[in-house]
Amino acid sequence: MASVGIIGAGIAGLAAAYELHRRGLEVTVFEASDRIGGFIQSERIDGFLVEHGPQTLQRTSADLEELLRRVDLEDACIPAHPVASKRFVVRGGQPIPLPRSPRELLRTPLLSPRARLRLLAEPFIVRSHRGTEESVARFARRRLGLEVFDYLVEPFVAGIFAGDPERLSIRHAFPKLFELEQEYGSLFWGLIRDRMKQRHHPAPHRPMFSFIEGLHMLPRALAEHLPSHAILRKAEVLAVRWDEKNPWTLSFRANGRVSTRFFDIILCATSLHRMAKIRILPPLERHPLETVAHPPIALVALGFRREQVAHPLDGFGLLVPAVEREFQILGTLFSSSLFPDRAPEGHVLLTTFVGGMRHPELALLPDEQLEALVLQDLRRLLGITPPPVFRHVWRWERSIPQYQLGYDAVIACARDVEMSRPGLFLAGNYLEGISVVDALHTGLKAARRIIQHLREEAAGGLAKLLLGD
Ligand SMILES: Cc1cc2nc3c(=O)[nH]c(=O)nc-3n(C[C@H](O)[C@H](O)[C@H](O)COP(=O)(O)OP(=O)(O)OC[C@H]3O[C@@H](n4cnc5c(N)ncnc54)[C@H](O)[C@@H]3O)c2cc1C
């Protein structure tokens, strides 16, 4: 039986481990921290269910559905409340609902009449040349105008990537928008064509969801379907060495001691910045991988009695555009409006994001200062009366990888790393998209590549035997 050493027990590593174990391979997962799940961490404290990382998943693929079925999680899924389709963006210090239909778009106070007129020009803007690399900001301003960029695009980029649209690449960060322009010459015509296609072949509904006890139920269920000895916690991988004989020797530190283990295959499923630190021997060129920014972000979860919040909290949450300069937060999720049982009876839970590429320094402030800053903004935006009855701060010093201009070099380098040594594979959120489901897919795909590689090796070995080589 071939053995696979997997580095990292985030969703990518665990999905791969689950799939390889199911196919009969021997897997060992090395996890540097004492918890599995990577960014996916849910914790119930004083009756409030807090998510430290991702907050929602989307049912976007058949692979995900099958996995949920196999690990018996279907009954634990809870769809987001219908109010989640309503989102607020701040303009002039007020949360204003985002338009949800063309008719609402033409009336929304979020955009001036001039900006709405400018939107109507979108179908007539010439498409960019496929070869030119454009930032998200340039793309959006060129196609949609400055105001739509400021109030619709920029806050979403901060909400999804914690990113800076001036530096993110449209082709890598939002490939679907890039392709719509390339294929149809206009986002407007592209969306209309998509709608028409869907009349004949309706696209699957992709609702948002979580699990009864939070997103951490997913990595936990994957881990529970592995043998108990398959995951080593507090085991940080330092180096992997390839040679003809073994073929992979993996060195890791656990309990203050460095030990080695041998494997046929190595799958590296860590974040990009951690991967760049693991020594690969003989050495490989990995410079482009070391240049990717991962901005810090803080999550401030605050609980209130319902009557302490004037706003109806009838939505997903609010986003604060960078042009609304009197505010410092990136946005706030109305966590207890989204899913049931996130706060004790008669209470609400709000999760606020601070930092990212916009204000990296703020994410690193001490807890009390962060709380004060969040309360100052929420008092104005949601009519909150302090003090909160519950508070919990969590920080990621290095969060989401930024798919910035020049990201082609990163993808090419990752591909070279995989091709350069037989039996070395990569998975993670820097390859095909930053969502949990994207990362999970890279794990499943890596597992399939590993099985294919082993089949080819076996076929090669058999051929040698038959030919008496
Ligand atoms: C604040 C925040 C909010 C987010 N919100 C959402 C959301 O709402 N929806 C969504 O879909 N996505 C969201 N995301 C993105 C998503 O959570 C991540 O992209 C995804 O979980 C990444 O999974 P991964 O397995 O690729 O990596 P990770 O989760 O980073 O896991 C990698 C693991 O490898 C381990 N490791 C690293 N180095 C070593 C080593 N040398 N040896 C052993 N182990 C090592 C780490 O400890 C970690 O456990 C959010 C991310 C953040 C930070």
Side-chain angles (χ1 to χ4, degrees), residues 446-460:
R448 287 171 199 147
R449 289 201 300 283
I450 288 170
I451 287 161
Q452 179 65 21
H453 167 83
L454 289 169
R455 279 200 187 121
E456 283 166 11
E457 279 211 325

Side-chain angles (χ1 to χ4, degrees), residues 16-316:
Y18 170 82
E19 184 63 15
L20 292 168
H21 171 68
R22 193 174 74 80
R23 305 281 203 103
L25 273 74
E26 190 186 309
V27 295
T28 308
V29 185
F30 296 82
E31 170 52 49
S33 72
D34 57 352
R35 317 169 172 221
I36 59 158
F39 282 124
I40 309 176
Q41 303 292 341
S42 326
E43 208 176 336
R44 192 171 283 283
I45 314 165
D46 300 339
F48 290 89
L49 181 60
V50 181
E51 295 283 5
H52 294 158
Q55 312 280 319
T56 59
L57 298 188
Q58 226 172 345
R59 288 184 174 273
T60 44
S61 79
D63 277 342
L64 173 68
E65 299 299 322
E66 194 182 321
L67 200 66
L68 293 177
R69 224 175 6 256
R70 282 186 200 276
V71 298
D72 307 317
L73 267 185
E74 274 181 314
D75 290 344
C77 288
I78 37 171
H81 190 279
V83 292
S85 66
K86 186 169 175 187
R87 290 161 191 252
F88 295 87
V89 173
V90 174
R91 179 155 195 171
Q94 295 298 319
I96 295 175
L98 260 184
R100 284 179 282 183
S101 65
R103 186 194 277 200
E104 283 180 17
L105 187 64
L106 291 176
R107 294 181 184 166
T108 176
L110 202 53
L111 299 174
S112 68
R114 206 167 139 192
R116 284 178 244 154
L117 262 181
R118 171 62 179 81
L119 255 188
L120 296 178
E122 196 278 333
F124 308 102
I125 309 282
V126 183
R127 88 182 67 168
S128 71
H129 185 262
R130 186 174 270 281
T132 48
E133 195 172 16
E134 214 174 10
S135 70
V136 172
R138 225 182 125 205
F139 176 91
R141 284 197 287 255
R142 178 171 60 77
R143 296 222 63 89
L144 307 166
L146 177 61
E147 208 177 306
V148 171
F149 166 72
D150 281 345
Y151 283 97
L152 297 186
V153 178
E154 190 280 337
F156 270 89
V157 172
I160 296 170
F161 270 88
D164 174 0
E166 305 289 346
R167 295 199 238 169
L168 286 174
S169 152
I170 185 75
R171 185 153 52 84
H172 290 285
F174 296 98
K176 283 192 186 132
L177 291 183
F178 175 76
E179 285 305 332
L180 274 186
E181 182 192 51
Q182 290 302 317
E183 197 171 335
Y184 301 105
S186 142
L187 304 181
F188 177 79
W189 288 126
L191 290 172
I192 296 227
R193 286 284 179 85
D194 263 9
R195 282 259 168 108
M196 280 162 62
K197 271 190 206 159
Q198 282 176 26
R199 266 199 209 154
H200 304 291
H201 308 284
H205 184 42
R206 297 173 162 185
M208 253 183 314
F209 72 102
S210 180
F211 304 103
I212 299 167
E213 277 303 309
L215 291 182
H216 198 244
M217 287 184 81
L218 178 56
R220 210 166 57 207
L222 291 170
E224 280 166 7
H225 280 73
L226 294 173
S228 57
H229 60 269
I231 302 182
L232 305 183
R233 291 173 174 81
K234 294 199 203 168
E236 183 188 6
V237 174
L238 306 173
V240 287
R241 174 193 290 277
W242 182 83
D243 63 52
E244 298 272 352
K245 245 187 348 187
N246 285 316
W248 285 98
T249 309
L250 177 149
S251 318
F252 66 103
R253 186 173 26 224
N255 300 321
R257 272 192 22 225
V258 176
S259 314
T260 52
R261 298 271 286 261
F262 301 105
F263 294 99
D264 300 303
I265 304 280
I266 293 290
L267 168 60
C268 186
T270 69
S271 50
L272 186 56
H273 62 94
R274 299 285 294 270
M275 195 269 257
K277 284 209 185 109
I278 297 171
R279 287 181 74 201
I280 301 179
L281 299 165
L284 291 170
E285 162 54 30
R286 284 185 291 169
H287 177 68
L289 305 186
E290 290 155 18
T291 61
V292 176
H294 296 70
I297 192 149
L299 280 80
V300 182
L302 297 176
F304 299 92
R305 287 189 311 280
R306 184 65 193 89
E307 60 273 18
Q308 286 179 276
V309 185
H311 193 278
L313 302 181
D314 53 343
F316 185 87

